[in-house]
mmCIF file of all heavy atoms in Angstrom:
data_model
loop_
_atom_site.group_PDB
_atom_site.id
_atom_site.type_symbol
_atom_site.label_atom_id
_atom_site.label_comp_id
_atom_site.label_asym_id
_atom_site.label_seq_id
_atom_site.Cartn_x
_atom_site.Cartn_y
_atom_site.Cartn_z
ATOM 1 N N PRO G 1 -31.907 -15.333 53.823
ATOM 2 C CA PRO G 1 -30.720 -14.466 53.743
ATOM 3 C C PRO G 1 -29.431 -15.182 53.373
ATOM 4 O O PRO G 1 -28.544 -14.575 52.755
ATOM 5 C CB PRO G 1 -30.631 -13.848 55.142
ATOM 6 C CG PRO G 1 -31.402 -14.777 56.025
ATOM 7 C CD PRO G 1 -32.483 -15.344 55.174
ATOM 8 N N ASP G 2 -29.293 -16.436 53.748
ATOM 9 C CA ASP G 2 -28.037 -17.144 53.492
ATOM 10 C C ASP G 2 -28.075 -17.966 52.210
ATOM 11 O O ASP G 2 -27.152 -18.741 51.936
ATOM 12 C CB ASP G 2 -27.680 -18.030 54.688
ATOM 13 C CG ASP G 2 -27.337 -17.198 55.919
ATOM 14 O OD1 ASP G 2 -26.638 -16.179 55.761
ATOM 15 O OD2 ASP G 2 -27.778 -17.554 57.026
ATOM 16 N N MET G 3 -29.125 -17.798 51.433
ATOM 17 C CA MET G 3 -29.203 -18.448 50.129
ATOM 18 C C MET G 3 -28.956 -17.418 49.042
ATOM 19 O O MET G 3 -29.214 -16.226 49.217
ATOM 20 C CB MET G 3 -30.579 -19.091 49.931
ATOM 21 C CG MET G 3 -30.835 -20.272 50.837
ATOM 22 S SD MET G 3 -32.541 -20.908 50.702
ATOM 23 C CE MET G 3 -32.626 -21.315 48.966
ATOM 24 N N GLU G 4 -28.426 -17.883 47.897
ATOM 25 C CA GLU G 4 -28.212 -16.980 46.782
ATOM 26 C C GLU G 4 -29.555 -16.494 46.235
ATOM 27 O O GLU G 4 -30.595 -17.132 46.404
ATOM 28 C CB GLU G 4 -27.431 -17.696 45.673
ATOM 29 C CG GLU G 4 -26.008 -18.043 46.078
ATOM 30 C CD GLU G 4 -25.280 -18.853 45.018
ATOM 31 O OE1 GLU G 4 -25.952 -19.309 44.064
ATOM 32 O OE2 GLU G 4 -24.057 -19.040 45.151
ATOM 33 N N ILE G 5 -29.521 -15.349 45.588
ATOM 34 C CA ILE G 5 -30.733 -14.760 45.021
ATOM 35 C C ILE G 5 -31.416 -15.746 44.078
ATOM 36 O O ILE G 5 -32.635 -15.928 44.116
ATOM 37 C CB ILE G 5 -30.380 -13.452 44.291
ATOM 38 C CG1 ILE G 5 -29.997 -12.385 45.310
ATOM 39 C CG2 ILE G 5 -31.522 -12.975 43.412
ATOM 40 C CD1 ILE G 5 -29.325 -11.172 44.726
ATOM 41 N N LEU G 6 -30.652 -16.403 43.238
ATOM 42 C CA LEU G 6 -31.221 -17.354 42.289
ATOM 43 C C LEU G 6 -31.958 -18.472 43.004
ATOM 44 O O LEU G 6 -33.053 -18.868 42.601
ATOM 45 C CB LEU G 6 -30.108 -17.924 41.403
ATOM 46 C CG LEU G 6 -30.560 -18.849 40.270
ATOM 47 C CD1 LEU G 6 -31.447 -18.104 39.284
ATOM 48 C CD2 LEU G 6 -29.343 -19.434 39.552
ATOM 49 N N ASP G 7 -31.370 -18.979 44.091
ATOM 50 C CA ASP G 7 -32.010 -20.061 44.833
ATOM 51 C C ASP G 7 -33.256 -19.569 45.563
ATOM 52 O O ASP G 7 -34.231 -20.320 45.726
ATOM 53 C CB ASP G 7 -31.018 -20.696 45.811
ATOM 54 C CG ASP G 7 -29.951 -21.512 45.103
ATOM 55 O OD1 ASP G 7 -30.234 -22.012 43.994
ATOM 56 O OD2 ASP G 7 -28.848 -21.652 45.640
ATOM 57 N N ASN G 8 -33.236 -18.330 46.037
ATOM 58 C CA ASN G 8 -34.442 -17.757 46.629
ATOM 59 C C ASN G 8 -35.574 -17.769 45.615
ATOM 60 O O ASN G 8 -36.710 -18.152 45.920
ATOM 61 C CB ASN G 8 -34.178 -16.324 47.086
ATOM 62 C CG ASN G 8 -33.742 -16.215 48.535
ATOM 63 O OD1 ASN G 8 -34.557 -16.095 49.441
ATOM 64 N ND2 ASN G 8 -32.429 -16.258 48.745
ATOM 65 N N LEU G 9 -35.273 -17.334 44.391
ATOM 66 C CA LEU G 9 -36.300 -17.307 43.361
ATOM 67 C C LEU G 9 -36.807 -18.710 43.036
ATOM 68 O O LEU G 9 -38.015 -18.921 42.865
ATOM 69 C CB LEU G 9 -35.763 -16.626 42.103
ATOM 70 C CG LEU G 9 -35.480 -15.123 42.239
ATOM 71 C CD1 LEU G 9 -34.786 -14.603 40.994
ATOM 72 C CD2 LEU G 9 -36.766 -14.344 42.490
ATOM 73 N N LYS G 10 -35.910 -19.662 42.991
ATOM 74 C CA LYS G 10 -36.331 -21.043 42.726
ATOM 75 C C LYS G 10 -37.254 -21.556 43.819
ATOM 76 O O LYS G 10 -38.181 -22.336 43.565
ATOM 77 C CB LYS G 10 -35.110 -21.951 42.589
ATOM 78 C CG LYS G 10 -34.317 -21.727 41.300
ATOM 79 C CD LYS G 10 -33.107 -22.644 41.249
ATOM 80 C CE LYS G 10 -32.316 -22.440 39.953
ATOM 81 N NZ LYS G 10 -31.112 -23.317 39.906
ATOM 82 N N MET G 11 -37.018 -21.101 45.064
ATOM 83 C CA MET G 11 -37.881 -21.515 46.170
ATOM 84 C C MET G 11 -39.315 -21.041 45.964
ATOM 85 O O MET G 11 -40.261 -21.650 46.455
ATOM 86 C CB MET G 11 -37.344 -20.968 47.496
ATOM 87 C CG MET G 11 -36.086 -21.647 47.993
ATOM 88 S SD MET G 11 -36.380 -23.363 48.481
ATOM 89 C CE MET G 11 -37.353 -23.126 49.970
ATOM 90 N N GLY G 12 -39.466 -19.946 45.227
ATOM 91 C CA GLY G 12 -40.807 -19.441 44.954
ATOM 92 C C GLY G 12 -41.578 -20.289 43.955
ATOM 93 O O GLY G 12 -42.792 -20.122 43.807
ATOM 94 N N SER G 13 -40.885 -21.199 43.272
ATOM 95 C CA SER G 13 -41.538 -22.027 42.242
ATOM 96 C C SER G 13 -41.526 -23.501 42.636
ATOM 97 O O SER G 13 -41.236 -24.365 41.818
ATOM 98 C CB SER G 13 -40.836 -21.839 40.891
ATOM 99 O OG SER G 13 -39.470 -22.210 40.980
ATOM 100 N N TYR G 14 -41.844 -23.759 43.898
ATOM 101 C CA TYR G 14 -41.781 -25.142 44.384
ATOM 102 C C TYR G 14 -42.973 -25.979 43.954
ATOM 103 O O TYR G 14 -42.914 -27.211 43.949
ATOM 104 C CB TYR G 14 -41.649 -25.170 45.908
ATOM 105 C CG TYR G 14 -42.861 -24.660 46.651
ATOM 106 C CD1 TYR G 14 -43.866 -25.535 47.068
ATOM 107 C CD2 TYR G 14 -43.005 -23.312 46.943
ATOM 108 C CE1 TYR G 14 -44.971 -25.066 47.739
ATOM 109 C CE2 TYR G 14 -44.107 -22.839 47.615
ATOM 110 C CZ TYR G 14 -45.096 -23.718 48.020
ATOM 111 O OH TYR G 14 -46.190 -23.240 48.686
ATOM 112 N N LEU G 15 -44.082 -25.335 43.595
ATOM 113 C CA LEU G 15 -45.236 -26.099 43.133
ATOM 114 C C LEU G 15 -44.965 -26.710 41.762
ATOM 115 O O LEU G 15 -44.217 -26.154 40.968
ATOM 116 C CB LEU G 15 -46.468 -25.200 43.060
ATOM 117 C CG LEU G 15 -46.946 -24.594 44.378
ATOM 118 C CD1 LEU G 15 -48.082 -23.628 44.127
ATOM 119 C CD2 LEU G 15 -47.375 -25.681 45.359
ATOM 120 N N THR G 16 -45.598 -27.838 41.483
ATOM 121 C CA THR G 16 -45.315 -28.571 40.250
ATOM 122 C C THR G 16 -45.530 -27.716 39.011
ATOM 123 O O THR G 16 -44.663 -27.639 38.131
ATOM 124 C CB THR G 16 -46.200 -29.830 40.171
ATOM 125 O OG1 THR G 16 -45.933 -30.657 41.307
ATOM 126 C CG2 THR G 16 -45.914 -30.609 38.899
ATOM 127 N N LYS G 17 -46.673 -27.043 38.930
ATOM 128 C CA LYS G 17 -46.967 -26.227 37.752
ATOM 129 C C LYS G 17 -45.960 -25.096 37.607
ATOM 130 O O LYS G 17 -45.503 -24.785 36.493
ATOM 131 C CB LYS G 17 -48.381 -25.669 37.835
ATOM 132 C CG LYS G 17 -48.785 -24.875 36.607
ATOM 133 C CD LYS G 17 -50.218 -24.386 36.713
ATOM 134 C CE LYS G 17 -50.601 -23.568 35.475
ATOM 135 N NZ LYS G 17 -51.989 -23.063 35.555
ATOM 136 N N ALA G 18 -45.597 -24.475 38.729
ATOM 137 C CA ALA G 18 -44.632 -23.372 38.681
ATOM 138 C C ALA G 18 -43.248 -23.867 38.282
ATOM 139 O O ALA G 18 -42.514 -23.173 37.562
ATOM 140 C CB ALA G 18 -44.577 -22.667 40.031
ATOM 141 N N ARG G 19 -42.875 -25.066 38.720
ATOM 142 C CA ARG G 19 -41.573 -25.625 38.320
ATOM 143 C C ARG G 19 -41.515 -25.827 36.817
ATOM 144 O O ARG G 19 -40.478 -25.617 36.192
ATOM 145 C CB ARG G 19 -41.313 -26.953 39.047
ATOM 146 C CG ARG G 19 -40.932 -26.816 40.497
ATOM 147 C CD ARG G 19 -40.226 -28.064 41.019
ATOM 148 N NE ARG G 19 -41.012 -29.272 40.832
ATOM 149 C CZ ARG G 19 -41.883 -29.751 41.721
ATOM 150 N NH1 ARG G 19 -42.102 -29.089 42.849
ATOM 151 N NH2 ARG G 19 -42.537 -30.872 41.486
ATOM 152 N N GLU G 20 -42.629 -26.232 36.234
ATOM 153 C CA GLU G 20 -42.670 -26.455 34.787
ATOM 154 C C GLU G 20 -42.463 -25.159 34.011
ATOM 155 O O GLU G 20 -41.996 -25.186 32.869
ATOM 156 C CB GLU G 20 -44.008 -27.095 34.410
ATOM 157 C CG GLU G 20 -44.185 -28.511 34.947
ATOM 158 C CD GLU G 20 -45.588 -29.044 34.743
ATOM 159 O OE1 GLU G 20 -46.453 -28.252 34.293
ATOM 160 O OE2 GLU G 20 -45.833 -30.230 35.031
ATOM 161 N N GLU G 21 -42.823 -24.033 34.618
ATOM 162 C CA GLU G 21 -42.714 -22.735 33.946
ATOM 163 C C GLU G 21 -41.614 -21.877 34.572
ATOM 164 O O GLU G 21 -41.609 -20.663 34.414
ATOM 165 C CB GLU G 21 -44.060 -22.007 34.028
ATOM 166 C CG GLU G 21 -45.186 -22.773 33.354
ATOM 167 C CD GLU G 21 -46.521 -22.056 33.458
ATOM 168 O OE1 GLU G 21 -46.639 -21.103 34.261
ATOM 169 O OE2 GLU G 21 -47.442 -22.431 32.714
ATOM 170 N N ARG G 22 -40.691 -22.521 35.268
ATOM 171 C CA ARG G 22 -39.681 -21.791 36.030
ATOM 172 C C ARG G 22 -38.839 -20.872 35.163
ATOM 173 O O ARG G 22 -38.626 -19.700 35.508
ATOM 174 C CB ARG G 22 -38.777 -22.780 36.781
ATOM 175 C CG ARG G 22 -37.657 -22.113 37.566
ATOM 176 C CD ARG G 22 -36.843 -23.142 38.332
ATOM 177 N NE ARG G 22 -37.588 -23.632 39.481
ATOM 178 C CZ ARG G 22 -37.211 -24.702 40.201
ATOM 179 N NH1 ARG G 22 -36.141 -25.391 39.832
ATOM 180 N NH2 ARG G 22 -37.903 -25.076 41.255
ATOM 181 N N GLU G 23 -38.354 -21.355 34.041
ATOM 182 C CA GLU G 23 -37.459 -20.538 33.218
ATOM 183 C C GLU G 23 -38.193 -19.310 32.657
ATOM 184 O O GLU G 23 -37.647 -18.202 32.659
ATOM 185 C CB GLU G 23 -36.879 -21.387 32.075
ATOM 186 C CG GLU G 23 -35.974 -22.511 32.549
ATOM 187 C CD GLU G 23 -34.864 -22.020 33.463
ATOM 188 O OE1 GLU G 23 -34.244 -20.965 33.143
ATOM 189 O OE2 GLU G 23 -34.606 -22.668 34.498
ATOM 190 N N LYS G 24 -39.416 -19.508 32.216
ATOM 191 C CA LYS G 24 -40.205 -18.386 31.697
ATOM 192 C C LYS G 24 -40.469 -17.358 32.796
ATOM 193 O O LYS G 24 -40.284 -16.147 32.595
ATOM 194 C CB LYS G 24 -41.528 -18.884 31.131
ATOM 195 C CG LYS G 24 -42.458 -17.767 30.655
ATOM 196 C CD LYS G 24 -43.774 -18.304 30.132
ATOM 197 C CE LYS G 24 -44.664 -18.814 31.246
ATOM 198 N NZ LYS G 24 -45.219 -17.700 32.088
ATOM 199 N N ASN G 25 -40.880 -17.848 33.964
ATOM 200 C CA ASN G 25 -41.170 -16.937 35.067
ATOM 201 C C ASN G 25 -39.907 -16.222 35.547
ATOM 202 O O ASN G 25 -39.946 -15.040 35.911
ATOM 203 C CB ASN G 25 -41.810 -17.703 36.226
ATOM 204 C CG ASN G 25 -43.199 -18.212 35.879
ATOM 205 O OD1 ASN G 25 -43.856 -17.681 34.982
ATOM 206 N ND2 ASN G 25 -43.652 -19.235 36.578
ATOM 207 N N MET G 26 -38.777 -16.943 35.512
ATOM 208 C CA MET G 26 -37.511 -16.333 35.934
ATOM 209 C C MET G 26 -37.155 -15.176 35.008
ATOM 210 O O MET G 26 -36.717 -14.105 35.465
ATOM 211 C CB MET G 26 -36.405 -17.385 35.927
ATOM 212 C CG MET G 26 -35.092 -16.923 36.530
ATOM 213 S SD MET G 26 -35.077 -16.972 38.334
ATOM 214 C CE MET G 26 -35.006 -18.747 38.631
ATOM 215 N N GLU G 27 -37.333 -15.365 33.724
ATOM 216 C CA GLU G 27 -37.030 -14.289 32.775
ATOM 217 C C GLU G 27 -37.937 -13.087 32.989
ATOM 218 O O GLU G 27 -37.504 -11.937 32.866
ATOM 219 C CB GLU G 27 -37.144 -14.807 31.338
ATOM 220 C CG GLU G 27 -35.956 -15.619 30.882
ATOM 221 C CD GLU G 27 -34.641 -14.857 31.016
ATOM 222 O OE1 GLU G 27 -34.564 -13.703 30.521
ATOM 223 O OE2 GLU G 27 -33.717 -15.378 31.640
ATOM 224 N N GLU G 28 -39.195 -13.343 33.313
ATOM 225 C CA GLU G 28 -40.112 -12.237 33.575
ATOM 226 C C GLU G 28 -39.704 -11.487 34.835
ATOM 227 O O GLU G 28 -39.764 -10.249 34.884
ATOM 228 C CB GLU G 28 -41.543 -12.765 33.702
ATOM 229 C CG GLU G 28 -42.108 -13.261 32.370
ATOM 230 C CD GLU G 28 -43.551 -13.687 32.484
ATOM 231 O OE1 GLU G 28 -44.123 -13.611 33.600
ATOM 232 O OE2 GLU G 28 -44.122 -14.107 31.455
ATOM 233 N N VAL G 29 -39.281 -12.208 35.866
ATOM 234 C CA VAL G 29 -38.824 -11.560 37.100
ATOM 235 C C VAL G 29 -37.564 -10.742 36.836
ATOM 236 O O VAL G 29 -37.451 -9.586 37.277
ATOM 237 C CB VAL G 29 -38.577 -12.610 38.203
ATOM 238 C CG1 VAL G 29 -37.839 -11.981 39.392
ATOM 239 C CG2 VAL G 29 -39.897 -13.208 38.674
ATOM 240 N N PHE G 30 -36.627 -11.309 36.095
ATOM 241 C CA PHE G 30 -35.401 -10.567 35.778
ATOM 242 C C PHE G 30 -35.701 -9.362 34.889
ATOM 243 O O PHE G 30 -35.003 -8.350 34.946
ATOM 244 C CB PHE G 30 -34.388 -11.485 35.104
ATOM 245 C CG PHE G 30 -33.692 -12.438 36.048
ATOM 246 C CD1 PHE G 30 -33.213 -13.665 35.598
ATOM 247 C CD2 PHE G 30 -33.493 -12.107 37.371
ATOM 248 C CE1 PHE G 30 -32.564 -14.535 36.455
ATOM 249 C CE2 PHE G 30 -32.840 -12.975 38.248
ATOM 250 C CZ PHE G 30 -32.381 -14.190 37.783
ATOM 251 N N GLY G 31 -36.744 -9.464 34.060
ATOM 252 C CA GLY G 31 -37.144 -8.318 33.265
ATOM 253 C C GLY G 31 -37.674 -7.191 34.121
ATOM 254 O O GLY G 31 -37.432 -6.008 33.853
ATOM 255 N N LEU G 32 -38.410 -7.551 35.165
ATOM 256 C CA LEU G 32 -38.914 -6.550 36.100
ATOM 257 C C LEU G 32 -37.803 -5.980 36.975
ATOM 258 O O LEU G 32 -37.795 -4.790 37.295
ATOM 259 C CB LEU G 32 -39.982 -7.170 37.014
ATOM 260 C CG LEU G 32 -41.407 -7.270 36.499
ATOM 261 C CD1 LEU G 32 -42.242 -8.110 37.459
ATOM 262 C CD2 LEU G 32 -42.035 -5.888 36.342
ATOM 263 N N PHE G 33 -36.871 -6.849 37.369
ATOM 264 C CA PHE G 33 -35.838 -6.470 38.325
ATOM 265 C C PHE G 33 -34.452 -6.820 37.763
ATOM 266 O O PHE G 33 -33.847 -7.825 38.166
ATOM 267 C CB PHE G 33 -36.039 -7.190 39.659
ATOM 268 C CG PHE G 33 -37.412 -7.013 40.247
ATOM 269 C CD1 PHE G 33 -38.276 -8.096 40.372
ATOM 270 C CD2 PHE G 33 -37.852 -5.775 40.687
ATOM 271 C CE1 PHE G 33 -39.535 -7.944 40.924
ATOM 272 C CE2 PHE G 33 -39.116 -5.605 41.243
ATOM 273 C CZ PHE G 33 -39.950 -6.697 41.360
ATOM 274 N N PRO G 34 -33.932 -6.026 36.837
ATOM 275 C CA PRO G 34 -32.614 -6.335 36.251
ATOM 276 C C PRO G 34 -31.505 -6.461 37.296
ATOM 277 O O PRO G 34 -30.551 -7.209 37.096
ATOM 278 C CB PRO G 34 -32.367 -5.135 35.323
ATOM 279 C CG PRO G 34 -33.725 -4.601 35.006
ATOM 280 C CD PRO G 34 -34.545 -4.829 36.228
ATOM 281 N N ARG G 35 -31.656 -5.756 38.400
ATOM 282 C CA ARG G 35 -30.630 -5.823 39.439
ATOM 283 C C ARG G 35 -30.511 -7.229 40.022
ATOM 284 O O ARG G 35 -29.431 -7.660 40.418
ATOM 285 C CB ARG G 35 -30.945 -4.817 40.548
ATOM 286 C CG ARG G 35 -29.747 -4.476 41.423
ATOM 287 C CD ARG G 35 -30.030 -3.306 42.334
ATOM 288 N NE ARG G 35 -30.476 -2.132 41.592
ATOM 289 C CZ ARG G 35 -30.616 -0.926 42.135
ATOM 290 N NH1 ARG G 35 -30.346 -0.755 43.425
ATOM 291 N NH2 ARG G 35 -31.017 0.084 41.418
ATOM 292 N N LEU G 36 -31.622 -7.953 40.082
ATOM 293 C CA LEU G 36 -31.559 -9.329 40.580
ATOM 294 C C LEU G 36 -30.808 -10.229 39.615
ATOM 295 O O LEU G 36 -30.092 -11.145 40.034
ATOM 296 C CB LEU G 36 -32.977 -9.873 40.816
ATOM 297 C CG LEU G 36 -33.816 -9.164 41.881
ATOM 298 C CD1 LEU G 36 -35.154 -9.876 42.048
ATOM 299 C CD2 LEU G 36 -33.084 -9.073 43.217
ATOM 300 N N ARG G 37 -30.968 -9.983 38.318
ATOM 301 C CA ARG G 37 -30.196 -10.763 37.344
ATOM 302 C C ARG G 37 -28.703 -10.504 37.531
ATOM 303 O O ARG G 37 -27.894 -11.432 37.528
ATOM 304 C CB ARG G 37 -30.614 -10.394 35.924
ATOM 305 C CG ARG G 37 -29.918 -11.259 34.861
ATOM 306 C CD ARG G 37 -30.054 -10.675 33.469
ATOM 307 N NE ARG G 37 -31.429 -10.568 33.014
ATOM 308 C CZ ARG G 37 -32.080 -11.558 32.403
ATOM 309 N NH1 ARG G 37 -31.482 -12.721 32.198
ATOM 310 N NH2 ARG G 37 -33.322 -11.383 32.003
ATOM 311 N N GLU G 38 -28.340 -9.232 37.696
ATOM 312 C CA GLU G 38 -26.931 -8.863 37.858
ATOM 313 C C GLU G 38 -26.320 -9.514 39.095
ATOM 314 O O GLU G 38 -25.140 -9.834 39.100
ATOM 315 C CB GLU G 38 -26.809 -7.344 37.969
ATOM 316 C CG GLU G 38 -27.233 -6.573 36.726
ATOM 317 C CD GLU G 38 -27.383 -5.086 36.989
ATOM 318 O OE1 GLU G 38 -27.082 -4.659 38.138
ATOM 319 O OE2 GLU G 38 -27.812 -4.349 36.082
ATOM 320 N N ARG G 39 -27.127 -9.703 40.122
ATOM 321 C CA ARG G 39 -26.591 -10.165 41.411
ATOM 322 C C ARG G 39 -27.094 -11.550 41.792
ATOM 323 O O ARG G 39 -27.076 -11.908 42.968
ATOM 324 C CB ARG G 39 -26.974 -9.155 42.498
ATOM 325 C CG ARG G 39 -26.526 -7.742 42.175
ATOM 326 C CD ARG G 39 -26.813 -6.775 43.284
ATOM 327 N NE ARG G 39 -26.386 -5.427 42.915
ATOM 328 C CZ ARG G 39 -26.374 -4.390 43.733
ATOM 329 N NH1 ARG G 39 -26.755 -4.533 44.974
ATOM 330 N NH2 ARG G 39 -25.977 -3.197 43.322
ATOM 331 N N GLN G 40 -27.516 -12.319 40.819
ATOM 332 C CA GLN G 40 -28.199 -13.577 41.113
ATOM 333 C C GLN G 40 -27.360 -14.562 41.911
ATOM 334 O O GLN G 40 -27.915 -15.442 42.578
ATOM 335 C CB GLN G 40 -28.696 -14.226 39.817
ATOM 336 C CG GLN G 40 -27.604 -14.560 38.826
ATOM 337 C CD GLN G 40 -28.180 -15.120 37.544
ATOM 338 O OE1 GLN G 40 -28.667 -16.246 37.487
ATOM 339 N NE2 GLN G 40 -28.141 -14.315 36.476
ATOM 340 N N TRP G 41 -26.026 -14.433 41.876
ATOM 341 C CA TRP G 41 -25.175 -15.361 42.610
ATOM 342 C C TRP G 41 -24.811 -14.847 44.005
ATOM 343 O O TRP G 41 -24.133 -15.546 44.757
ATOM 344 C CB TRP G 41 -23.894 -15.646 41.823
ATOM 345 C CG TRP G 41 -24.167 -16.109 40.425
ATOM 346 C CD1 TRP G 41 -23.898 -15.452 39.264
ATOM 347 C CD2 TRP G 41 -24.815 -17.320 40.039
ATOM 348 N NE1 TRP G 41 -24.326 -16.163 38.171
ATOM 349 C CE2 TRP G 41 -24.889 -17.327 38.614
ATOM 350 C CE3 TRP G 41 -25.339 -18.408 40.738
ATOM 351 C CZ2 TRP G 41 -25.467 -18.374 37.901
ATOM 352 C CZ3 TRP G 41 -25.915 -19.445 40.030
ATOM 353 C CH2 TRP G 41 -25.976 -19.425 38.625
ATOM 354 N N GLN G 42 -25.258 -13.647 44.359
ATOM 355 C CA GLN G 42 -24.981 -13.101 45.685
ATOM 356 C C GLN G 42 -25.941 -13.686 46.724
ATOM 357 O O GLN G 42 -27.043 -14.109 46.398
ATOM 358 C CB GLN G 42 -25.140 -11.571 45.698
ATOM 359 C CG GLN G 42 -24.076 -10.827 44.938
ATOM 360 C CD GLN G 42 -24.256 -9.324 45.045
ATOM 361 O OE1 GLN G 42 -23.957 -8.594 44.099
ATOM 362 N NE2 GLN G 42 -24.759 -8.845 46.177
ATOM 363 N N LYS G 43 -25.497 -13.688 47.984
ATOM 364 C CA LYS G 43 -26.379 -14.060 49.080
ATOM 365 C C LYS G 43 -27.424 -12.964 49.268
ATOM 366 O O LYS G 43 -27.145 -11.769 49.126
ATOM 367 C CB LYS G 43 -25.590 -14.226 50.381
ATOM 368 C CG LYS G 43 -24.463 -15.248 50.317
ATOM 369 C CD LYS G 43 -25.006 -16.668 50.322
ATOM 370 C CE LYS G 43 -23.850 -17.671 50.474
ATOM 371 N NZ LYS G 43 -24.315 -19.073 50.394
ATOM 372 N N ALA G 44 -28.622 -13.349 49.623
ATOM 373 C CA ALA G 44 -29.703 -12.377 49.795
ATOM 374 C C ALA G 44 -29.407 -11.385 50.914
ATOM 375 O O ALA G 44 -29.852 -10.239 50.865
ATOM 376 C CB ALA G 44 -31.012 -13.106 50.079
ATOM 377 N N ARG G 45 -28.616 -11.793 51.906
ATOM 378 C CA ARG G 45 -28.314 -10.885 53.018
ATOM 379 C C ARG G 45 -27.441 -9.713 52.596
ATOM 380 O O ARG G 45 -27.311 -8.744 53.342
ATOM 381 C CB ARG G 45 -27.649 -11.642 54.167
ATOM 382 C CG ARG G 45 -26.370 -12.367 53.804
ATOM 383 C CD ARG G 45 -25.799 -13.094 55.029
ATOM 384 N NE ARG G 45 -24.826 -14.092 54.657
ATOM 385 C CZ ARG G 45 -23.573 -13.847 54.306
ATOM 386 N NH1 ARG G 45 -23.144 -12.607 54.270
ATOM 387 N NH2 ARG G 45 -22.747 -14.831 53.991
ATOM 388 N N THR G 46 -26.837 -9.765 51.415
ATOM 389 C CA THR G 46 -25.998 -8.657 50.947
ATOM 390 C C THR G 46 -26.817 -7.554 50.283
ATOM 391 O O THR G 46 -26.268 -6.501 49.932
ATOM 392 C CB THR G 46 -24.939 -9.159 49.944
ATOM 393 O OG1 THR G 46 -25.595 -9.600 48.742
ATOM 394 C CG2 THR G 46 -24.128 -10.295 50.536
ATOM 395 N N LEU G 47 -28.116 -7.771 50.110
ATOM 396 C CA LEU G 47 -28.951 -6.803 49.417
ATOM 397 C C LEU G 47 -29.401 -5.683 50.347
ATOM 398 O O LEU G 47 -29.526 -5.867 51.555
ATOM 399 C CB LEU G 47 -30.195 -7.491 48.839
ATOM 400 C CG LEU G 47 -29.961 -8.614 47.829
ATOM 401 C CD1 LEU G 47 -31.291 -9.232 47.423
ATOM 402 C CD2 LEU G 47 -29.214 -8.099 46.610
#
């Protein structure tokens, strides 16, 4: 809750292989959830 949305998403890609594909996966997530892209700098607790 006290981390920004973008950092929460980065936490989901902590494995080595996922880190290598982080930017691609991030774009796919933002494509599914445009609202997260709009609010990526907000704290998760504000959602």
Side-chain angles (χ1 to χ4, degrees):
D2 293 318
M3 292 174 59
E4 293 175 349
I5 290 166
L6 185 63
D7 289 333
N8 267 271
L9 292 173
K10 289 179 179 179
M11 288 292 290
S13 60
Y14 67 93
L15 297 174
T16 301
K17 183 178 179 181
R19 285 200 304 270
E20 293 171 353
E21 299 179 346
R22 178 177 286 168
E23 295 307 316
K24 176 181 72 71
N25 292 337
M26 188 80 72
E27 282 304 309
E28 290 184 359
V29 169
F30 284 152
L32 277 171
F33 306 114
R35 199 170 305 189
L36 297 183
R37 185 195 299 273
E38 296 167 4
R39 305 184 181 188
Q40 60 183 288
W41 306 112
Q42 290 183 214
K43 303 286 189 184
R45 58 180 163 78
T46 67
L47 300 177

